[in-house]
Amino acid sequence: MNLSRRSLSRRSLSRRGLLAATTATALTAASPASAASAASAEGGGSGAGRRLRTGFERLAADGYAALDGERVGVVTNPTGVTRDVRHIVDVMHADEMVDLVAVFGPEHGFRGTAQAGGSEGRYDDPATGLPVYDTYQKSGQALADIFTASGVDTIVFDIQDVGARFYTYIWTLFDCMESAELAGKRFVVLDRPNPVTGRDAYGPVLHKEFATFVGRQPIAQAHGMTVTELALLFNGEFLKRPVDLETVRMTGWKRSDFYDASGLPWVPPSPNMPTPDTALVYSGTCLFEGTNLSEGRGTTRPFELLGAEGIDRKWAAAVNELGLPGVHFREAYFAPTFSKFQGKTIGGVQLHVHDRESYDPVRTGIALLVTAKKVWGGFAWRSDNWIDKLTGTTRVRTQIDAGADTGEVVAAWQDDLAGFREMRRRYLRYP
């Protein structure tokens, strides 16, 4: 899709045009890339010749032409930053080329002050004076009414995703797209990398009867897509009425790239996603939220540390015996500062991914569940069967309870996964 539907001929060499040039220069100054390297980045070259440019970088370098003449609202959080870690809201608010009138905050809030399951509510941002509206757990007409009340014409989405179906920002994207259509608003999605690559999709596909805010639609547990690709898929497959959608893709990103290839700073998308290493394991080990074991919240390595009272070295030994590709498991002891087992020293494992190319996070998560149940008599599912919401099916839970091994559990979702992979392929936009 073109960067803008608006004609660039409407811009002249006025202050507006000069500001566009200044913005473009500021956003590229952090890289020593030559003109030849920049050209290679635009073409999606390889190696040192590639320089990733986010959707926001391209939008700003184009003088915000896609937003020309529009009253703009931005759905974002602390990850919506430039490569010199200025927040895009602060940048746009200070730029007369953009008529920025509102901000919309997701779970954890626009400035990121809330923990899991929380948001910041409605307030005026002290830094900019802009009204900040709360989108968390709002959808449909209720969210459409917020968009209408804000007075915006166009809604811009810019949030860093981590590649897992149950990470709620992609469902904030879905809900905002749906509500924007109800309110008659344009919707522009600015792309950022999938930090765990976009090579493939893994894991069970959600069954619609298990739809919640940790999975609205039938996509794979590890979807292997960027947010603009997901937006196109949502618009093409799942929205009852497509929204007026425009996407601003990255240049210089390839599907095989992990986050460290991007050259971008990592801003934790949520309090328990401190590093790209966390994202690498999250789509598998987040399943422990559906059990009575700690998923490592309240430690410095959430989702890499797993454990409970009464677990010892036997768990690490059992899962290491499986020879799972790309990962080793270390016997570990830790004391969470909050969440499950707060203040208690518990035993368990730490994941150490040594070959991320061969590592399968979802298979690994299943193997950890299977072995934990075998070696620890205290194992239990959360009483509300939250595991079914996370996996999008009852099969994972019932198979493990019946004594199935890892291979049998993984085999059961392959037909659904093949169908999703075929649908997904139509919306992929990067090599």
Side-chain angles (χ1 to χ4, degrees):
M1 182 177 291
N2 290 334
L3 181 66
S4 172
R5 291 171 296 178
R6 287 153 176 74
S7 172
L8 297 182
S9 64
R10 289 193 291 170
R11 290 186 296 155
S12 64
L13 290 178
S14 61
R15 173 168 169 75
R16 187 176 185 84
L18 290 172
L19 278 167
T22 302
T23 302
T25 301
L27 286 168
T28 56
S31 171
S34 64
S37 295
S40 177
E42 291 292 338
S46 61
R50 276 194 295 122
R51 179 185 181 277
L52 185 145
R53 299 176 75 205
T54 65
F56 179 75
E57 285 180 298
R58 295 191 63 219
L59 177 76
D62 195 39
Y64 303 101
L67 308 179
D68 192 23
E70 304 281 308
R71 289 168 58 84
V72 177
V74 180
V75 184
T76 191
N77 71 353
T79 67
V81 295
T82 63
R83 65 180 57 243
D84 61 354
V85 295
R86 292 176 296 153
H87 200 285
I88 67 165
V89 166
D90 299 326
V91 173
M92 295 169 78
H93 177 257
D95 197 324
E96 68 176 29
M97 288 187 291
V98 185
D99 186 11
L100 183 61
V101 299
V103 182
F104 304 98
E107 183 179 7
H108 306 293
F110 158 48
R111 295 291 186 182
T113 64
Q115 264 288 351
S119 59
E120 293 174 336
R122 166 69 177 89
Y123 68 100
D124 290 338
D125 178 48
T128 63
L130 292 168
V132 180
Y133 299 87
D134 186 9
T135 72
Y136 182 48
Q137 295 186 332
K138 296 178 178 66
S139 59
Q141 191 60 52
L143 183 53
D145 290 344
I146 291 174
F147 289 155
T148 298
S150 73
V152 303
D153 305 308
T154 294
I155 299 159
V156 175
F157 182 96
D158 189 4
I159 294 179
Q160 176 65 57
D161 183 39
V162 301
R165 183 184 63 233
F166 31 63
Y167 208 56
T168 62
Y169 298 137
I170 62 172
W171 304 115
T172 294
L173 170 64
F174 178 85
D175 290 344
C176 287
M177 289 173 65
E178 182 178 55
S179 296
E181 192 283 326
L182 290 172
K185 310 299 182 183
R186 287 179 63 232
F187 204 87
V188 177
V189 182
L190 309 181
D191 217 359
R192 291 182 181 270
N194 184 324
V196 297
T197 79
R199 291 176 300 176
D200 205 352
Y202 303 92
V205 175
L206 177 92
H207 293 186
K208 284 299 292 284
E209 61 267 31
F210 296 101
T212 67
F213 194 46
V214 293
R216 293 272 196 236
Q217 298 294 336
I219 67 173
Q221 190 166 308
H223 52 71
M225 304 178 79
T226 71
V227 290
T228 67
E229 292 174 334
L230 282 168
L232 293 168
L233 182 146
F234 292 163
N235 222 32
E237 303 290 337
F238 299 138
L239 287 175
K240 292 179 182 178
R241 294 189 297 270
V243 70
D244 181 4
L245 175 66
E246 187 162 354
T247 62
V248 185
R249 302 202 299 268
M250 299 172 285
T251 55
W253 186 76
K254 299 183 76 173
R255 307 207 73 82
S256 58
D257 287 347
F258 289 92
Y259 196 81
D260 55 9
S262 71
L264 298 172
W266 178 262
V267 175
S270 56
N272 294 288
M273 194 64 61
T275 72
D277 290 340
T278 321
L280 187 62
V281 301
Y282 175 77
S283 61
T285 56
C286 183
L287 296 179
F288 279 83
E289 286 188 355
T291 75
N292 62 338
L293 283 81
S294 168
E295 63 275 10
R297 293 181 187 274
T299 76
T300 59
R301 307 301 289 190
F303 304 104
E304 297 175 61
L305 285 167
L306 309 168
E309 283 186 293
I311 295 182
D312 60 18
R313 64 185 182 281
K314 293 178 184 177
W315 189 17
V319 71
N320 275 322
E321 285 178 3
L322 299 178
L324 294 167
V327 61
H328 297 310
F329 303 89
R330 181 182 67 84
E331 173 189 3
Y333 298 90
F334 55 98
T337 59
F338 63 87
S339 194
K340 300 173 186 173
F341 304 106
Q342 179 178 351
K344 296 180 179 179
T345 299
I346 59 177
V349 299
Q350 181 176 0
L351 286 75
H352 293 267
V353 178
H354 61 85
D355 180 5
R356 59 189 184 179
E357 300 286 346
S358 63
Y359 176 68
D360 181 336
V362 184
R363 175 182 283 273
T364 299
I366 297 298
L368 285 160
L369 289 171
V370 168
T371 52
K373 193 172 192 302
K374 286 181 178 178
V375 304
W376 183 50
F379 180 94
W381 303 109
R382 226 171 81 173
S383 59
D384 58 358
N385 284 339
W386 186 244
I387 189 67
D388 298 348
K389 307 298 193 301
L390 294 172
T391 60
T393 174
T394 61
R395 288 186 306 197
V396 169
R397 174 176 54 82
T398 57
Q399 283 184 290
I400 292 175
D401 282 347
D405 64 23
T406 302
E408 291 171 321
V409 178
V410 171
W413 67 58
Q414 292 306 311
D415 287 347
D416 288 347
L417 181 59
F420 173 72
R421 283 170 168 163
E422 182 61 31
M423 178 176 68
R424 165 184 176 272
R425 189 173 297 118
R426 298 196 292 270
Y427 298 96
L428 302 182
R429 295 296 184 268
Y430 299 92

